Amino acid sequence: MNKATSGIALASALAPLTRVVPLYPPWGAEEDGYDLWLRYRLLPEPARSRLGDGARSIAVAPDASLTTLAAVAELHRAIAGRTGVPPALVQEPAEGALVLATPASHPEITALEPALAGLGREGYALRTATVGGKRVTVIAANTDVGVLYGAFAWIRAVGTGRDVSTLAEHSAPRVGLRMMNHWDNLDRTIERGYAGESIWDWWKLPGMKDARYADYARATASIGINAVSLNNVNAKAEMLTPPWIAKAAAVADILRPYGIRVFLAVRFSTPVELGDVDTADPLDPRVAAWWKDRAAAIYRSIPDLLGFIIKANSEGQPGPHDYGRDHAQGANMLAAALAPHGGLVMWRAFVYSQHDPEDRAKQAYADFKPLDGKFLPNVIVQVKNGPIDFQPREPFHPMLGAMPATPLALEVQITKEYLGFATHLAYLGDMYEEVLRADTHAKGPGSTVAKVVDGTLHGAKLTAMAAVSNVGSSRTWCGSHFDQANWYVYGRLAWDPYASARDIAEEWARQTFSHDAKVVDAIVGMMMRSREAVVRYMMPLGLHHLFDTGHHHGPGPWVDDLDRPEWNPTYYHRGDKDGIGFDRGPRGSNAVAQYAPALAEVYSDPRRTPANLLLWFHHLPWTHAMPSGRTLWEELVAAYDLGVADAAELQASWTRLAGAIDARRHAEVAMLLAVQLEEARWWRDACIAYFRSINGLPMPAGHAPPPLGLDEYKARRSHYAPGRGITLPR
Amino acid sequence: MNKATSGIALASALAPLTRVVPLYPPWGAEEDGYDLWLRYRLLPEPARSRLGDGARSIAVAPDASLTTLAAVAELHRAIAGRTGVPPALVQEPAEGALVLATPASHPEITALEPALAGLGREGYALRTATVGGKRVTVIAANTDVGVLYGAFAWIRAVGTGRDVSTLAEHSAPRVGLRMMNHWDNLDRTIERGYAGESIWDWWKLPGMKDARYADYARATASIGINAVSLNNVNAKAEMLTPPWIAKAAAVADILRPYGIRVFLAVRFSTPVELGDVDTADPLDPRVAAWWKDRAAAIYRSIPDLLGFIIKANSEGQPGPHDYGRDHAQGANMLAAALAPHGGLVMWRAFVYSQHDPEDRAKQAYADFKPLDGKFLPNVIVQVKNGPIDFQPREPFHPMLGAMPATPLALEVQITKEYLGFATHLAYLGDMYEEVLRADTHAKGPGSTVAKVVDGTLHGAKLTAMAAVSNVGSSRTWCGSHFDQANWYVYGRLAWDPYASARDIAEEWARQTFSHDAKVVDAIVGMMMRSREAVVRYMMPLGLHHLFDTGHHHGPGPWVDDLDRPEWNPTYYHRGDKDGIGFDRGPRGSNAVAQYAPALAEVYSDPRRTPANLLLWFHHLPWTHAMPSGRTLWEELVAAYDLGVADAAELQASWTRLAGAIDARRHAEVAMLLAVQLEEARWWRDACIAYFRSINGLPMPAGHAPPPLGLDEYKARRSHYAPGRGITLPR
């Protein structure tokens, strides 16, 4: 300690402190994750000057729309950050300008950019060109929102380290509605949210407009999301009262310039609960009139409302069944109220009855398949990726591909309700890709879920993908740095369901962490094996829903004492001294029959069923011979151990990146990976201890027995788990 | 829009966007309030160079403690920020050095700084001096924590714009324990918290140590707070189980280097609820043994735990009365368990029974006064500032000064449960000062509450001041920019209860907003009239507890249908066609008799009672003649109108500061002031409409009648209000 001290010398002097106190670095600026993938950090030379040469100014026509101005603001922020030199704003293209152009603002653009005609309302083209002797980059689109997406695409190109001095590319979304579904309650808790409170500070709205809403809009638009449902599908009647509509309208006003429109989640019994009608029967004209009036009132405040999303007759929510009506009758009544305003109904197919003894996995299909073709044209039925509920692995939902006359939205979860909350690293791109590439065989081989989602399989006009949000008030938005990738990959896959999850992981990592290829490779490698790691240490071989009671975090395969059969993990694994697994074949629940015949045949045969879904479809003896030569029991234990080894390897990979990642984010991720490894072991040990207690088998050679007795795993409690989304009494 | 665009030109071009979307500024760095009063922004020249000359390096002895390193880190951050030049770290004093010195590290310091001997463990001295021919600034103290406080004092001097080239000053705290009481639940909700979730992310602790904890420690230490109780006094038994102790220990580890030690809030019935003993009777030896063992276990994890804080036999909490024992017997049992470890019991005097028909204002005194002298020496009784519950105005609590043989802590609220949550601007320095300067007359005139708090009135050895925290996970920490001032002034007054709230407001404003005298004057002016404004538009003339049901936000003076009398506003105002107010004089509840005779005499006489407490102590006819010449009714209406005018003037004052305050903070405060004005009118109108409905009197001349009918005010609902601190089922 002498003479001028560099940051490193200071860090070294303060090391004893910083080993105890999380100060990264202790003297100031740090990466806290708030900037997401929109991290506009200064580029090193020569990249900085090279970029600056091509981004000296932003040329934009006068009287630009708010959306165009949003593009200008974002480009300005990105260029100033990346080059250190704020670009000028100009009206006419100058040398080195970024030119924002639509056919309306620049009629000549249609000649320069022939692709434009095919790009629709939201597509964009990026092209470097010489215009009037000046070298410029044109961001061209048919509308201002296309320009905004183009601006973000240019920023992404810079952020991933591409050379933007020569560009000639275009893109348009393959899916019409690319939605975020917030499960945010009116008391600001979030159901299944693990990143703090709701971003929507309802109490202070509409008076107080948090600056964070704008940053949310920027992030959301940057990945092409154009629809947001603001409140939990377990909805409250108050949402449709004037004070709450005013709050929602204030949010809608902020999202609108970013090309984002809002849905409201509604409660089917709202007219009754607000005391206006004594029934919510969808065929009662007073009910229809009530919804029509209320919709008209809402559209006066939010003229571009996308519509309503609704969870009806599921998990205790009211719905048309309460009046002996079916889902189509319920949905169509709402759809008729919204149609005059161009509004849509997103009707969720996640329904199962607490009073239906049928295999839970079969109930949605059974309810909805007969209704195919009976929905009004402005209804979309929203189907979860799998038939149960966002498990670490499920087969694709049998409704996908099975409703040719009904627009279907694919619903996935970004928030990791069943994959370790915001604590475990699990890149969901792998899961989304798995379902999108799954072949439904609905119209023969190649009938992928992606083709259902983009409408090409059955010619659907309305197309949509929806995701349950993981965004909260956490500084990282998502509860951890790596969970940001799940938001990112969802948006990018909703734009193009045929894109590669690995490519997107790399894109994200380059923008979020580093352009260093070694770092990027290491991070992408971690991401790509992370979800499978979770599957292995929680529920390998097609096991599912083995969670302890009251939350969906720790293991509870032994739980068998809850009131309803399907609330118990034992319902799902059906293990006993002889074997394990849920027989969904023809001699079991015959859920396989809900799939196309070619698939049903595969899933009916344990030898042909993919190993990773084996126990989803089959109940097999512990001695069942696996292709590996091991017994099922040996394979199961090996899978658990592999999962723990994967978690250890995630941690080791990250440790090797010390110094290559900024200190704070490296430390924060490292802390979570340590928790993940500990909890991976907990899952492995608790599950193996339980399975041994029912099958009485010895540990396979080479695998250590769980260190504790089963009772000790059973006694472990996870009190006060986040994400259970209570709603305060009014 | 041509040529290079300055930030202002960009702002102008983007104005249409930024009028809708909260982007301040749209291109980057902004003040979001996270830095609190520790805003180390670059000084303008010549102040920058002048400061740099005297802060070229930080001289610190080798083998510095973590606390000394915390001081080094903070000084480094401040100097680098203020001057743009990071100071060197050196071991020997150099020209222009800040020298951190204790008698242990620099024996010569006792001669240089004679004041040191009298400064105790936490005091500090700042002195510029020439040492060995070198001009230095010495930060001297008897211990490392004194050095830390000295470092923050030097930073504060810089932050308030003082010339630090000549310093000769010293300070020591007058109060031993300066506490923050978090009412943070284990599910991360906060009871009466209006700034988001708990800062403690219990779920991720102890594995994940949020960097925010360190910033909390910095802020807390910077204002001299040295004790933090981590969890809600409506406590849960789990808090004392090993997993939760581990979480608390992780927080304690981070706070410790900053001179901050922790308390845990405990539930009296914990041994029963954990299933270990079948009673919590404090005289049962098994109970005493349980607490002794548990305390020993906790001290193994948190060796410097300050002790337990407890709410017993109040609002449904268990306590010694459940077993026929008194508060002293309960407290002493816990105190005996903690004594071997040097731990303390903070026993809250906020007790009132739901089954006691006595005036609620009298119950705590009645319970505790007979116990004076019966508590073990390591018990402190914690008394709220007023006898009811943190109302906008109350007289001081009659226990203050009335327990000469018992150490009393003064408990105030920083979170504004009854003063507009985080939405209304109300500077509480005014309220804290009012109570600290109140004269109890306990030992004749001049027996101020401040002398109770600092122990000088009755020679108390243990001295303490406690405040219910307003800190949450909000980016501003406190839910709004101005609420930060209430945290600040609390800490500064706990250090010196004789300090001036106005001086502290100025100190805060200069560090938080600007050194510009005109700006500072305007802000201090706003702050100093803000709390009285809230009193006037909510509950003038000594009215209290007129809040609507279920939360403590909007007006509900009409509420009279709740089960218990003291849950109803009508219990407190007792208004009818003839008059209004609570008679607490000799012919009423005689609460006045709990005060010293000289005061009891004043409070018994409506002509001598201060007007601002009139209806607290007296029930008077609406025609009662006020000193102003107006009737009581006219005076009441005038007060409400004055309150609304005050709120309008707050808004106008702030509007005049546009351009002098950074854009984001100016806009955010402006939005809240607009809400405050609207809600001030609501309070005024609703209360006047109600009072007219019972007294049938016309509006006094010159005062507008409420624009709506009483039923419309009654119908207004504030659903899903924050701060009700539910706790999830386990």
Side-chain angles (χ1 to χ4, degrees), chain B residues 266-291:
Chain B
V266 302
R267 183 167 167 87
F268 200 77
S269 54
T270 301
V272 177
E273 284 165 45
L274 296 185
D276 295 331
V277 194
D278 59 7
T279 175
D281 181 350
L283 299 194
D284 189 308
R286 294 170 302 154
V287 173
W290 186 93
W291 282 102

Side-chain angles (χ1 to χ4, degrees), chain A residues 348-636:
Chain A
R348 291 179 84 238
F350 176 67
V351 302
Y352 68 98
S353 166
Q354 297 178 16
H355 310 289
D356 185 344
E358 181 60 277
D359 177 0
R360 176 176 161 187
K362 292 174 66 181
Q363 296 184 29
Y365 179 100
D367 263 15
F368 279 87
K369 171 73 179 164
L371 301 177
D372 189 28
K374 299 197 175 162
F375 292 94
L376 285 178
N378 60 332
V379 176
I380 303 178
V381 174
Q382 183 164 312
V383 184
K384 287 190 180 181
N385 59 286
I388 295 286
D389 189 14
F390 300 133
Q391 296 302 296
R393 170 165 283 117
E394 298 192 35
F396 73 87
H397 199 298
M399 284 177 68
L400 297 165
M403 303 274 287
T406 306
L408 296 185
L410 174 65
E411 175 178 322
V412 297
Q413 204 175 43
I414 308 179
T415 191
K416 304 204 311 297
E417 176 179 354
Y418 295 100
L419 290 101
F421 295 2
T423 317
H424 295 205
L425 198 172
Y427 174 57
L428 299 182
D430 177 56
M431 177 192 269
Y432 306 153
E433 186 180 74
E434 182 172 300
V435 64
L436 287 165
R437 296 188 177 181
D439 192 342
T440 70
H441 290 263
K443 291 174 74 175
S447 304
T448 61
V449 171
K451 291 185 181 172
V452 178
V453 171
D454 76 359
T456 53
L457 189 65
H458 294 118
K461 292 282 182 300
L462 286 175
T463 56
M465 191 162 164
V468 181
S469 166
N470 63 342
V471 168
S473 56
S474 153
R475 187 64 181 165
T476 61
W477 297 88
C478 304
S480 82
H481 298 293
F482 272 92
D483 274 307
Q484 298 177 349
N486 294 329
W487 187 12
Y488 186 88
V489 68
Y490 164 70
R492 299 288 288 144
L493 282 173
W495 182 277
D496 179 5
Y498 303 92
S500 141
R502 174 179 289 274
D503 290 350
I504 296 172
E506 178 170 338
E507 200 181 274
W508 174 81
R510 293 178 72 85
Q511 293 172 89
T512 304
F513 282 116
S514 173
H515 288 179
D516 178 332
K518 271 198 238 168
V519 174
V520 172
D521 286 351
I523 290 175
V524 171
M526 290 172 63
M527 292 168 74
M528 292 307 294
R529 72 172 163 270
S530 58
R531 177 255 184 156
E532 198 64 39
V534 174
V535 171
R536 284 171 176 153
Y537 62 66
M538 284 188 187
M539 284 167 269
L541 302 181
L543 289 173
H544 50 289
H545 229 313
L546 305 189
F547 298 91
D548 202 1
T549 305
H551 50 80
H552 295 141
H553 188 75
W558 47 78
V559 175
D560 63 358
D561 59 352
L562 301 179
D563 285 352
R564 288 283 310 158
E566 76 279 3
W567 292 351
N568 292 294
T570 52
Y571 171 91
Y572 298 98
H573 70 69
R574 308 199 163 198
D576 60 18
K577 71 178 172 32
D578 299 319
I580 187 168
F582 196 129
D583 184 358
R584 293 191 167 106
R587 281 169 306 185
S589 76
N590 204 24
V592 294
Q594 294 182 339
Y595 290 94
L599 264 185
E601 202 186 305
V602 169
Y603 290 158
S604 296
D605 181 350
R607 286 161 307 178
R608 295 177 64 198
T609 303
N612 64 21
L613 290 172
L614 191 64
L615 302 178
W616 184 282
F617 287 113
H618 304 285
H619 185 86
L620 297 170
W622 294 105
T623 52
H624 175 79
M626 299 292 292
S628 62
R630 289 189 276 231
T631 66
L632 173 59
W633 169 237
E634 290 163 347
E635 190 89 354
L636 189 64

Side-chain angles (χ1 to χ4, degrees), chain A residues 1 3 5 16 20 26 77 88-89 196-197 203-204 209 236 238 253 475 479 671 719-720 722 724 727 729, chain B residues 1-3 5 20 26 77 88-89 196-197 203-204 209 236 238 253 475 479 671 719-720 722 724 727 729:
Chain A
M1 292 205 289
K3 299 288 156 58
T5 323
V20 179
R77 191 195 284 240
L89 293 195
E197 288 188 309
W203 178 253
K204 288 183 179 163
K209 295 174 178 71
K236 293 285 170 187
E238 285 89 352
D253 287 344
R475 187 64 181 165
M671 287 188 274
H719 289 163
Y720 307 108
R724 281 181 290 160
T727 288
Chain B
M1 291 204 290
N2 247 317
K3 300 286 158 59
T5 323
V20 179
R77 189 194 287 240
L89 294 194
E197 290 188 308
W203 178 255
K204 288 182 178 163
K209 294 173 180 70
K236 292 286 172 188
E238 284 89 352
D253 287 345
R475 188 63 181 166
M671 288 189 271
H719 289 162
Y720 307 107
R724 282 183 289 161
T727 289

Side-chain angles (χ1 to χ4, degrees), chain A residues 246-262:
Chain A
K247 296 169 194 283
V251 174
D253 287 344
I254 294 166
L255 302 185
R256 186 175 296 112
Y258 287 85
I260 303 161
R261 293 164 64 190
V262 307

Side-chain angles (χ1 to χ4, degrees), chain B residues 408-569:
Chain B
L408 296 185
L410 174 65
E411 175 177 322
V412 297
Q413 203 175 43
I414 307 179
T415 191
K416 303 204 311 300
E417 176 178 353
Y418 295 100
L419 290 103
F421 295 2
T423 318
H424 295 206
L425 198 172
Y427 174 56
L428 299 183
D430 178 54
M431 178 193 268
Y432 305 154
E433 185 181 74
E434 184 173 299
V435 63
L436 287 166
R437 293 187 180 182
D439 193 342
T440 70
H441 290 267
K443 291 173 75 174
S447 303
T448 61
V449 171
K451 290 185 181 172
V452 177
V453 171
D454 76 358
T456 53
L457 188 65
H458 293 120
K461 293 282 183 297
L462 287 176
T463 57
M465 192 161 163
V468 181
S469 167
N470 63 341
V471 168
S473 55
S474 155
R475 188 63 181 166
T476 62
W477 297 87
C478 304
S480 83
H481 298 294
F482 272 93
D483 274 307
Q484 298 178 350
N486 294 329
W487 187 12
Y488 186 87
V489 66
Y490 163 71
R492 299 286 289 146
L493 282 172
W495 182 276
D496 178 6
Y498 303 91
S500 143
R502 174 179 287 273
D503 290 350
I504 296 171
E506 177 169 339
E507 200 180 273
W508 174 80
R510 294 179 72 87
Q511 293 172 87
T512 304
F513 282 115
S514 173
H515 289 179
D516 178 332
K518 271 197 237 167
V519 174
V520 172
D521 285 351
I523 290 175
V524 171
M526 292 172 62
M527 292 167 74
M528 292 307 293
R529 71 173 164 271
S530 59
R531 177 254 181 156
E532 198 64 39
V534 174
V535 171
R536 284 171 176 153
Y537 63 66
M538 285 189 185
M539 283 166 268
L541 302 180
L543 289 173
H544 49 289
H545 229 311
L546 304 188
F547 297 91
D548 201 1
T549 306
H551 49 79
H552 295 140
H553 188 74
W558 47 78
V559 175
D560 62 358
D561 60 352
L562 301 180
D563 285 351
R564 285 285 310 160
E566 77 280 2
W567 292 351
N568 291 292

